[in-house]
Amino acid sequence: MATISEQERKRIQRYCIYPKIAGAALAMAFVLPFLIIPFEMIDDIVFHHEGFQETGMMTALALTAIELVIFCYCALAPRFGMRGKQWKEMQHRLVVEQTEKDRSAQIAGVIGTQAAARLLKNSDNETARNLGGAAEVAAAVGAVATAADVLAESFANAKAMAEACGVPIPRAKKWIVALVALPLAIVCGAYIPQLAQGNIKMQQNAAAAAEQIAIARKALEPACEYVSADDPYERYQDYGYHVRGYLHDGDSDTQKTYTYLDFDNKGTLKEVSYIAEIDPDASLEDNLARIELDLDELSSVVQTVDVKTVSPELLAPQKLPEEFRQAFLNGSLYERISIRTSDDLIKTYYSFDTEPEDEFDEYTHPSIRITLVGKTS
């Protein structure tokens, strides 16, 4: 068995390890950007944290760049080293066969596919753009396959040299584990503070919302037959919560009249609605008279709800405008009405919701609705 120097032995061992390290680094360079997705999903779905976490994203991208640098070094070092004078001399001295395929056709194919993909994606034709996307994927697969082939060839050449001179081939397991585990741990570490902050923020929002909802419920209960409210502690809702106060529950022949308070996820009142059902068997005049009395009573109760609001005008007394009253009295049970007003603080919608006569049946519940929506700055 031929004798080699310590420097040559170490070079052979490095060239045996480098291709495996390069393969692991390339794989992680693909995995790390996608690792952002599950963390962002957890942050959004579980903790309802708004926005995108830049720290985690930038950490993952930085680690991806590092993995690519490692891949390039570990892939190119054996290639250039095996073309060097020292390796060639050792190859001739040990009489070891080395292979080096011509991959110019593969590389040209990948470059050509990428160029075609860019042209297709700039097309005005949707089918061509879809083909461009498929071509991009094909080019990426081709590039990875070519890289894997180069790494396999480098390892085979280094292994042949090691076997010829009796150099043990070192295991690359610890390096591969480090390339995989360390970036994963760093990305997890970057996201843990955000997830913890998201949980704290969610609990704070739930507590603030629960406090305001409790105030609203307490104010409505003395005057309303029935009050229902969402519980932020039972189910956190990033879109907000609702409190309903029924002046008339409508269990018997009495039509329902109720208010609907809409809070955001932090407990700020952003919308107030008043809904009063119409009695189809009564005249329009009688319905309007009853509803106006109910609205006065319900509106006076809502005024006492001392909660945070987008605009204090949401809690102001409400009456049906004369334009709406006349349209209702001069219309019919089957004609819808919709009137909108707006000022600097709120938008107000007055509507009569019903069905056309040919669709009106016992399941139809016509109602008059007033909806006040606060304007956010």
Side-chain angles (χ1 to χ4, degrees), residues 99-171:
T99 60
E100 186 174 356
K101 297 179 184 177
D102 181 9
R103 295 182 177 80
S104 57
Q106 290 175 264
I107 296 172
V110 170
I111 295 173
T113 304
Q114 288 176 335
R118 284 194 293 269
L119 289 173
L120 288 170
K121 292 199 76 174
N122 291 329
S123 172
D124 294 331
N125 185 279
E126 184 178 356
T127 302
R129 290 196 298 271
N130 292 335
L131 289 174
E136 279 188 337
V137 174
V141 171
V144 172
T146 302
D149 192 32
V150 170
L151 295 177
E153 183 182 79
S154 297
F155 176 72
N157 288 338
K159 181 181 179 183
M161 191 70 76
E163 291 175 346
C165 55
V167 174
I169 299 174
R171 299 184 65 183

Side-chain angles (χ1 to χ4, degrees), residues 280-335:
D281 297 326
S283 66
L284 296 178
E285 290 79 4
D286 290 344
N287 271 301
L288 184 60
R290 173 183 58 81
I291 288 172
E292 288 185 319
L293 289 174
D294 287 347
L295 287 177
D296 285 342
E297 183 178 355
L298 200 53
S299 177
S300 64
V301 176
V302 172
Q303 290 179 66
T304 66
V305 178
D306 186 17
V307 295
K308 294 186 298 182
T309 65
V310 172
S311 169
E313 294 298 316
L314 291 173
L315 302 176
Q318 296 300 316
K319 291 184 178 296
L320 294 171
E322 188 61 27
E323 179 185 359
F324 182 91
R325 296 180 75 260
Q326 292 303 318
F328 179 76
L329 293 173
N330 295 327
S332 73
L333 187 62
Y334 315 108
E335 297 177 17

Side-chain angles (χ1 to χ4, degrees), residues 55 73 86 91 115 133 151 172 183 204-205 261 265 283 290-291 293 300 340 367:
T55 303
Y73 176 78
Q86 293 178 338
Q91 177 188 348
L151 295 177
Q204 290 174 342
N205 289 344
L261 308 182
N265 66 332
S283 66
R290 173 183 58 81
I291 288 172
L293 289 174
S300 64
R340 173 186 172 182
S367 62

Side-chain angles (χ1 to χ4, degrees), residues 255 277-281 333-336 352-367:
Q255 274 63 45
E277 292 184 353
I278 297 293
D279 182 0
D281 297 326
L333 187 62
Y334 315 108
E335 297 177 17
R336 292 183 177 181
F352 172 49
D353 301 320
T354 185
E355 297 289 347
E357 187 172 4
D358 57 345
E359 299 178 14
F360 199 97
D361 55 28
E362 67 271 20
Y363 301 107
T364 304
H365 299 284
S367 62

Side-chain angles (χ1 to χ4, degrees), residues 62-129:
L63 290 170
T64 300
I66 293 172
E67 296 279 5
L68 288 174
V69 170
I70 294 172
F71 162 74
C72 291
Y73 176 78
C74 291
L76 295 176
R79 298 297 294 178
F80 287 115
M82 290 176 183
R83 293 176 181 177
K85 181 179 178 181
Q86 293 178 338
W87 187 269
K88 292 293 185 182
E89 289 178 352
M90 187 167 53
Q91 177 188 348
H92 291 308
R93 188 171 73 248
L94 299 175
V95 192
V96 179
E97 183 180 355
Q98 302 278 275
T99 60
E100 186 174 356
K101 297 179 184 177
D102 181 9
R103 295 182 177 80
S104 57
Q106 290 175 264
I107 296 172
V110 170
I111 295 173
T113 304
Q114 288 176 335
R118 284 194 293 269
L119 289 173
L120 288 170
K121 292 199 76 174
N122 291 329
S123 172
D124 294 331
N125 185 279
E126 184 178 356
T127 302
R129 290 196 298 271

Side-chain angles (χ1 to χ4, degrees), residues 185-256:
I186 293 173
V187 173
C188 290
Y191 270 98
I192 285 174
Q194 180 195 353
L195 297 179
Q197 181 62 32
N199 182 53
I200 293 172
K201 187 68 175 177
M202 183 179 69
Q203 296 300 325
Q204 290 174 342
N205 289 344
E211 180 183 3
Q212 298 300 301
I213 288 171
I215 293 172
R217 182 165 193 160
K218 185 177 180 180
L220 294 175
E221 281 178 341
C224 295
E225 290 185 5
Y226 173 70
V227 177
S228 68
D230 294 332
D231 185 354
Y233 290 119
E234 181 178 327
R235 182 181 179 185
Y236 183 84
Q237 298 174 166
D238 54 0
Y239 55 83
Y241 306 96
H242 310 297
V243 177
R244 302 170 187 82
Y246 291 82
L247 189 64
H248 303 301
D249 194 11
D251 289 335
S252 58
D253 294 333
T254 306
Q255 274 63 45
K256 294 179 182 178

